[in-house]
Amino acid sequence: MEERYNPEKVEPVWQEYWNQHQTFKTVEDRSREKYYLLEMFPYPSGKIHMGHVRNYTIGDVVARYKRMKGFNVLHPMGWDAFGMPAENAAIDNNTHPAAWTYENMRTMRVQLKKMGFSYDWDREIATCRPEYYRWEQWLFLKMLEKDMVYRKESYVNWCETCQTVLANEQVEQDSCWRCGKLVQQKKLWQWFFRITDFSEDLLVHCDKLPGWPDKVTRMQKNWIGKSHGSEIKFRVQGRDEEIAVFTTRPDTLFGSTFMCLAPEHPLVETLSKGTEQEEAVAGFVQRILNQERSSSALEKYEKEGIFTGAWCINPASGQPMPVYTANFALMEYGTGAVMSVPAHDQRDFDFAKKYDLDIKVVIQPKGEALDSASMEEAYTGQGVLVDSGEFSGTGNVEAMEAITGWLEKQGMGKTTVSFRLRDWGISRQRYWGTPIPVVHCPDCGIVPVSDEQLPVTLPEDADLLENGGSPLPGLESFTRVACPSCGREDARRETDTMDTFVESSWYFARYCSPRCDTAIFDPEAVSYWMPVDQYIGGVEHAILHLLYSRYFMRVLNTLGLIDFKEPFDRLLTQGMVCKETMTCPQDGFIFPEDAEETEGKVVCKHCNSDVEVGRVIKMSKSKKNVIDPNELLASYGADITRLFCLFAAPPEKDLEWNDDGVEGCHRFINRVWRIVGRSMEGADGLTPYSGPVAGLAGEPKKLYIKANQTIKKVTDDIEESFHFNTAISAVMELVNAMYSADISSDEPQMKEVSLFCVRNIVLLLSPIVPHFAEELWSIMGNEPSIVDQSWPEYREDALVTDEVIIVVQVNGKLRAKFTVDASVSDDIIRETALGDEQVQKHINGKPIKKVIVVKKKLVNIVI
């Protein structure tokens, strides 16, 4: 046995062993309970970062632990390979997205294997391969058949830099989620998934996900955004059109004096056409649509609007109301039309004052008489209705239902529910994505591609355009095709590709049978493996990926392909990996390796300037506060890197990078290495003790109890909360106890207990530091592999210690603690407490009135 653990030598040996023996290859076995463990698959960016390392290490520990607990574990890996980043990177690096992506997958696969992750690589998938997206296209066509997909012209979120459309969920703080540039509105023909058909079901089931973090389900509920209210129809004066409004305040209807439409509302152009306002309205709309159009962005802008030239009729008062288009009205809320009640809504009040519009009070507070002429702000509280026809004198809360009921009888309104969630626009004007499998025929219109013609293959030899636009519209070999219906030769393929989130919304089901070439998946395999038992990934995916995945399972369920609705039973959102930034006055942000500490200060290695050490934030390439996993692997190996990622913080919390912590983990590994070696010395012919605790005495008994307590602690910490940090800490305490004990003694009982301790230390650590554990398991004379061993079990009789902890209080305040044998008398406990140095300090020579000893737990000294 070598003096120290050598990861450079040991880790490749065991990685090759696992590979040669297909240790982690998984097959369905209905005689065994399954456990499907999955981490969110990565985008192949070129190399793994510390966020990947932490995420996948957490998952790997759980997968290995569950395997040792007897579960049939599915733990696959693949690549979320389509999307804009590959195109952008290809343009920046003068290469092709396909070449860039496939090379990155090769590189990252090697890196992941070096980390010792227990993936079944035979199930590897890449979403950019035709054998994968063929079934995505097939599903699209099935959805089209069932009217779950439609195409319409609409205003969309447009990123000029990325030259593509973004879903609402992909606009973050008014900017593109990928490139960070401001998003504009643009009118285009787009394909949409009817996710809103499932709004209620998605919302209700948020409360049926007990294994999900509350913050994630809250975020999804808020995004779905259910509101109870009324839909009211306002007839346009002198025209056949009606304006439908959703409001949560029907009690204020009689006070509505003007209407505001979102600039994107289709009636804006219709109503202004042919009026004196037509040109001015068109200019206003274009200017507003070039601004940020999210609800958060609108808070920064002054409220403004323009008269459309049309009037509508208030269905309650019968009064004409001017119709404006205003920048604060959003198509994504309600119907895109707002009945404005300036006396009782501050935003409407400000708008009315600005444009000199009527203000009509319809709710009077108790004991007051509001006058619209003298009001300085809107009254938004409760009160009694006035100037509201037959409803005057009614409390405004009661009036809500009454007015809605009256509108319903008149055929002018109804009680309804509105959702914030909008249908999912999936069209992307990009090249590197799944082609949408339809053909546009001059005679037949939109014609779906037949199943026999799938997949519609993306031409991987197409050259990207310099401005980032898609080359597909100009690629005759791709676009020109015979109509599948009438055979006309000049039909054109759809050149939009699908949003990359479509690929990641069902990949976990494909892992169940990734080589199935006759169906989207093998239903028997999916029925065995799905749903995923434990899903692990970042909270930043709470709305996008996780909501879309839940939607897709409902689609598959509706189509009769699966018998469940929720994809993930349990969800763990791991924290970020963080490190302080370093800034050089000359070079800006610098990498950690470009700074050094000299004479008590940090300086830049290149210019010797003082470096400002900033706050601890998420690791980011742009801030250069990153640690390269390859460098850690070269210096410490995979297992020490894994150990630190697990020990430094609970998985759901942010991990603050600390070089000293990594070194500490390195020291601990070698302490374990040495204690195993010491325990084996002179132990030939002996076996680990595993009998009752009553068969032991003295130091062996204490150590045996400590070992069993450790097994229980580690098991509970992993099973109940994935708190690997406290589990590792418990093993460290056991190792420390072994160093404190006389394990070099020739006494056979001590040797046998020592062997029991090290055997279980290695087993407990094996999911965390697998190469290290395999090597020690082999050195200890066991047959490989430790992966195939059962998780250790503790003895109930060995959990009870013979010692008790006594707490000492002086006048009710905690002053000391000490440990005594459980059989000791109250007199000895009393004497020990009074003789304690800390207790004597707080007594300070004062007379003692009383000493109370409570059930060998507490001593209370009253002075």
Side-chain angles (χ1 to χ4, degrees), residues 711-731:
I711 295 170
K712 184 179 189 305
K713 170 69 173 167
V714 173
T715 304
D716 290 348
D717 283 349
I718 295 177
E719 193 71 47
E720 296 173 9
S721 58
F722 295 163
H723 279 188
F724 310 113
N725 57 322
T726 54
I728 294 166
S729 181
V731 177

mmCIF file of all heavy atoms in Angstrom, residues 711-731:
data_model
loop_
_atom_site.group_PDB
_atom_site.id
_atom_site.type_symbol
_atom_site.label_atom_id
_atom_site.label_comp_id
_atom_site.label_asym_id
_atom_site.label_seq_id
_atom_site.Cartn_x
_atom_site.Cartn_y
_atom_site.Cartn_z
ATOM 1 N N ILE A 711 -23.076 5.478 10.738
ATOM 2 C CA ILE A 711 -23.836 4.853 9.647
ATOM 3 C C ILE A 711 -25.261 5.415 9.632
ATOM 4 O O ILE A 711 -25.793 5.773 8.577
ATOM 5 C CB ILE A 711 -23.859 3.321 9.799
ATOM 6 C CG1 ILE A 711 -22.448 2.748 9.636
ATOM 7 C CG2 ILE A 711 -24.802 2.685 8.764
ATOM 8 C CD1 ILE A 711 -22.334 1.283 10.005
ATOM 9 N N LYS A 712 -25.868 5.498 10.795
ATOM 10 C CA LYS A 712 -27.237 6.033 10.877
ATOM 11 C C LYS A 712 -27.280 7.496 10.449
ATOM 12 O O LYS A 712 -28.167 7.915 9.683
ATOM 13 C CB LYS A 712 -27.787 5.894 12.295
ATOM 14 C CG LYS A 712 -29.251 6.347 12.416
ATOM 15 C CD LYS A 712 -29.777 6.177 13.826
ATOM 16 C CE LYS A 712 -31.292 6.435 13.871
ATOM 17 N NZ LYS A 712 -31.686 7.741 13.322
ATOM 18 N N LYS A 713 -26.339 8.290 10.923
ATOM 19 C CA LYS A 713 -26.311 9.713 10.602
ATOM 20 C C LYS A 713 -26.144 9.944 9.101
ATOM 21 O O LYS A 713 -26.876 10.748 8.493
ATOM 22 C CB LYS A 713 -25.165 10.379 11.369
ATOM 23 C CG LYS A 713 -24.840 11.819 10.974
ATOM 24 C CD LYS A 713 -25.928 12.781 11.366
ATOM 25 C CE LYS A 713 -25.485 14.223 11.106
ATOM 26 N NZ LYS A 713 -26.617 15.173 11.194
ATOM 27 N N VAL A 714 -25.204 9.248 8.493
ATOM 28 C CA VAL A 714 -24.949 9.418 7.056
ATOM 29 C C VAL A 714 -26.167 8.966 6.257
ATOM 30 O O VAL A 714 -26.586 9.637 5.306
ATOM 31 C CB VAL A 714 -23.690 8.643 6.630
ATOM 32 C CG1 VAL A 714 -23.527 8.672 5.112
ATOM 33 C CG2 VAL A 714 -22.446 9.230 7.305
ATOM 34 N N THR A 715 -26.748 7.831 6.646
ATOM 35 C CA THR A 715 -27.929 7.325 5.943
ATOM 36 C C THR A 715 -29.076 8.321 6.030
ATOM 37 O O THR A 715 -29.722 8.641 5.019
ATOM 38 C CB THR A 715 -28.372 5.981 6.542
ATOM 39 O OG1 THR A 715 -27.276 5.056 6.491
ATOM 40 C CG2 THR A 715 -29.550 5.398 5.770
ATOM 41 N N ASP A 716 -29.335 8.837 7.212
ATOM 42 C CA ASP A 716 -30.430 9.795 7.393
ATOM 43 C C ASP A 716 -30.188 11.077 6.609
ATOM 44 O O ASP A 716 -31.109 11.628 5.988
ATOM 45 C CB ASP A 716 -30.605 10.127 8.880
ATOM 46 C CG ASP A 716 -31.165 8.950 9.678
ATOM 47 O OD1 ASP A 716 -31.621 7.969 9.054
ATOM 48 O OD2 ASP A 716 -31.116 9.005 10.924
ATOM 49 N N ASP A 717 -28.957 11.571 6.626
ATOM 50 C CA ASP A 717 -28.653 12.832 5.948
ATOM 51 C C ASP A 717 -28.822 12.724 4.439
ATOM 52 O O ASP A 717 -29.255 13.682 3.780
ATOM 53 C CB ASP A 717 -27.224 13.287 6.280
ATOM 54 C CG ASP A 717 -27.128 13.892 7.670
ATOM 55 O OD1 ASP A 717 -28.191 14.142 8.270
ATOM 56 O OD2 ASP A 717 -26.007 14.094 8.161
ATOM 57 N N ILE A 718 -28.461 11.573 3.875
ATOM 58 C CA ILE A 718 -28.624 11.387 2.431
ATOM 59 C C ILE A 718 -30.087 11.109 2.099
ATOM 60 O O ILE A 718 -30.656 11.695 1.175
ATOM 61 C CB ILE A 718 -27.725 10.245 1.918
ATOM 62 C CG1 ILE A 718 -26.242 10.618 2.077
ATOM 63 C CG2 ILE A 718 -28.028 9.935 0.450
ATOM 64 C CD1 ILE A 718 -25.274 9.529 1.655
ATOM 65 N N GLU A 719 -30.698 10.228 2.857
ATOM 66 C CA GLU A 719 -32.059 9.775 2.551
ATOM 67 C C GLU A 719 -33.081 10.889 2.717
ATOM 68 O O GLU A 719 -33.996 11.032 1.906
ATOM 69 C CB GLU A 719 -32.423 8.607 3.477
ATOM 70 C CG GLU A 719 -33.670 7.855 3.074
ATOM 71 C CD GLU A 719 -33.488 7.030 1.825
ATOM 72 O OE1 GLU A 719 -32.481 6.307 1.719
ATOM 73 O OE2 GLU A 719 -34.369 7.121 0.950
ATOM 74 N N GLU A 720 -32.938 11.686 3.755
ATOM 75 C CA GLU A 720 -33.980 12.650 4.096
ATOM 76 C C GLU A 720 -33.791 14.029 3.480
ATOM 77 O O GLU A 720 -34.762 14.710 3.169
ATOM 78 C CB GLU A 720 -34.071 12.785 5.624
ATOM 79 C CG GLU A 720 -34.516 11.493 6.318
ATOM 80 C CD GLU A 720 -34.428 11.596 7.837
ATOM 81 O OE1 GLU A 720 -34.191 12.716 8.339
ATOM 82 O OE2 GLU A 720 -34.578 10.563 8.499
ATOM 83 N N SER A 721 -32.540 14.447 3.289
ATOM 84 C CA SER A 721 -32.352 15.843 2.895
ATOM 85 C C SER A 721 -31.199 16.086 1.925
ATOM 86 O O SER A 721 -30.966 17.229 1.539
ATOM 87 C CB SER A 721 -32.124 16.700 4.146
ATOM 88 O OG SER A 721 -30.992 16.236 4.868
ATOM 89 N N PHE A 722 -30.484 15.025 1.521
ATOM 90 C CA PHE A 722 -29.311 15.194 0.652
ATOM 91 C C PHE A 722 -28.282 16.159 1.260
ATOM 92 O O PHE A 722 -27.570 16.851 0.531
ATOM 93 C CB PHE A 722 -29.701 15.706 -0.740
ATOM 94 C CG PHE A 722 -30.545 14.757 -1.537
ATOM 95 C CD1 PHE A 722 -31.259 15.210 -2.630
ATOM 96 C CD2 PHE A 722 -30.615 13.404 -1.224
ATOM 97 C CE1 PHE A 722 -32.050 14.341 -3.390
ATOM 98 C CE2 PHE A 722 -31.394 12.526 -1.970
ATOM 99 C CZ PHE A 722 -32.112 12.998 -3.051
ATOM 100 N N HIS A 723 -28.204 16.169 2.586
ATOM 101 C CA HIS A 723 -27.228 17.038 3.231
ATOM 102 C C HIS A 723 -25.899 16.289 3.347
ATOM 103 O O HIS A 723 -25.519 15.800 4.402
ATOM 104 C CB HIS A 723 -27.748 17.520 4.580
ATOM 105 C CG HIS A 723 -28.693 18.664 4.460
ATOM 106 N ND1 HIS A 723 -29.173 19.378 5.519
ATOM 107 C CD2 HIS A 723 -29.265 19.234 3.365
ATOM 108 C CE1 HIS A 723 -29.981 20.332 5.091
ATOM 109 N NE2 HIS A 723 -30.055 20.254 3.799
ATOM 110 N N PHE A 724 -25.214 16.251 2.208
ATOM 111 C CA PHE A 724 -23.956 15.513 2.135
ATOM 112 C C PHE A 724 -22.883 16.146 3.008
ATOM 113 O O PHE A 724 -21.975 15.465 3.465
ATOM 114 C CB PHE A 724 -23.475 15.449 0.680
ATOM 115 C CG PHE A 724 -24.532 14.997 -0.279
ATOM 116 C CD1 PHE A 724 -25.038 15.859 -1.242
ATOM 117 C CD2 PHE A 724 -25.056 13.719 -0.211
ATOM 118 C CE1 PHE A 724 -26.022 15.455 -2.122
ATOM 119 C CE2 PHE A 724 -26.048 13.299 -1.094
ATOM 120 C CZ PHE A 724 -26.532 14.171 -2.045
ATOM 121 N N ASN A 725 -22.990 17.463 3.226
ATOM 122 C CA ASN A 725 -21.970 18.140 4.035
ATOM 123 C C ASN A 725 -21.955 17.610 5.465
ATOM 124 O O ASN A 725 -20.890 17.349 6.034
ATOM 125 C CB ASN A 725 -22.188 19.659 4.009
ATOM 126 C CG ASN A 725 -23.563 20.075 4.494
ATOM 127 O OD1 ASN A 725 -24.555 19.406 4.221
ATOM 128 N ND2 ASN A 725 -23.641 21.181 5.207
ATOM 129 N N THR A 726 -23.133 17.430 6.058
ATOM 130 C CA THR A 726 -23.174 16.905 7.423
ATOM 131 C C THR A 726 -22.877 15.418 7.447
ATOM 132 O O THR A 726 -22.343 14.903 8.437
ATOM 133 C CB THR A 726 -24.537 17.193 8.066
ATOM 134 O OG1 THR A 726 -25.590 16.693 7.221
ATOM 135 C CG2 THR A 726 -24.746 18.687 8.270
ATOM 136 N N ALA A 727 -23.210 14.705 6.367
ATOM 137 C CA ALA A 727 -22.860 13.281 6.277
ATOM 138 C C ALA A 727 -21.342 13.111 6.264
ATOM 139 O O ALA A 727 -20.788 12.265 6.980
ATOM 140 C CB ALA A 727 -23.470 12.671 5.021
ATOM 141 N N ILE A 728 -20.668 13.926 5.472
ATOM 142 C CA ILE A 728 -19.200 13.868 5.408
ATOM 143 C C ILE A 728 -18.601 14.249 6.757
ATOM 144 O O ILE A 728 -17.638 13.629 7.225
ATOM 145 C CB ILE A 728 -18.678 14.801 4.287
ATOM 146 C CG1 ILE A 728 -19.123 14.268 2.912
ATOM 147 C CG2 ILE A 728 -17.157 14.925 4.349
ATOM 148 C CD1 ILE A 728 -18.955 15.276 1.793
ATOM 149 N N SER A 729 -19.185 15.260 7.392
ATOM 150 C CA SER A 729 -18.702 15.686 8.710
ATOM 151 C C SER A 729 -18.793 14.546 9.720
ATOM 152 O O SER A 729 -17.897 14.359 10.557
ATOM 153 C CB SER A 729 -19.514 16.894 9.178
ATOM 154 O OG SER A 729 -19.063 17.346 10.427
ATOM 155 N N ALA A 730 -19.863 13.764 9.637
ATOM 156 C CA ALA A 730 -20.022 12.622 10.550
ATOM 157 C C ALA A 730 -18.928 11.584 10.323
ATOM 158 O O ALA A 730 -18.374 11.016 11.280
ATOM 159 C CB ALA A 730 -21.396 11.991 10.357
ATOM 160 N N VAL A 731 -18.582 11.329 9.069
ATOM 161 C CA VAL A 731 -17.487 10.382 8.771
ATOM 162 C C VAL A 731 -16.161 10.935 9.294
ATOM 163 O O VAL A 731 -15.333 10.191 9.830
ATOM 164 C CB VAL A 731 -17.408 10.093 7.258
ATOM 165 C CG1 VAL A 731 -16.226 9.174 6.950
ATOM 166 C CG2 VAL A 731 -18.696 9.460 6.759
#
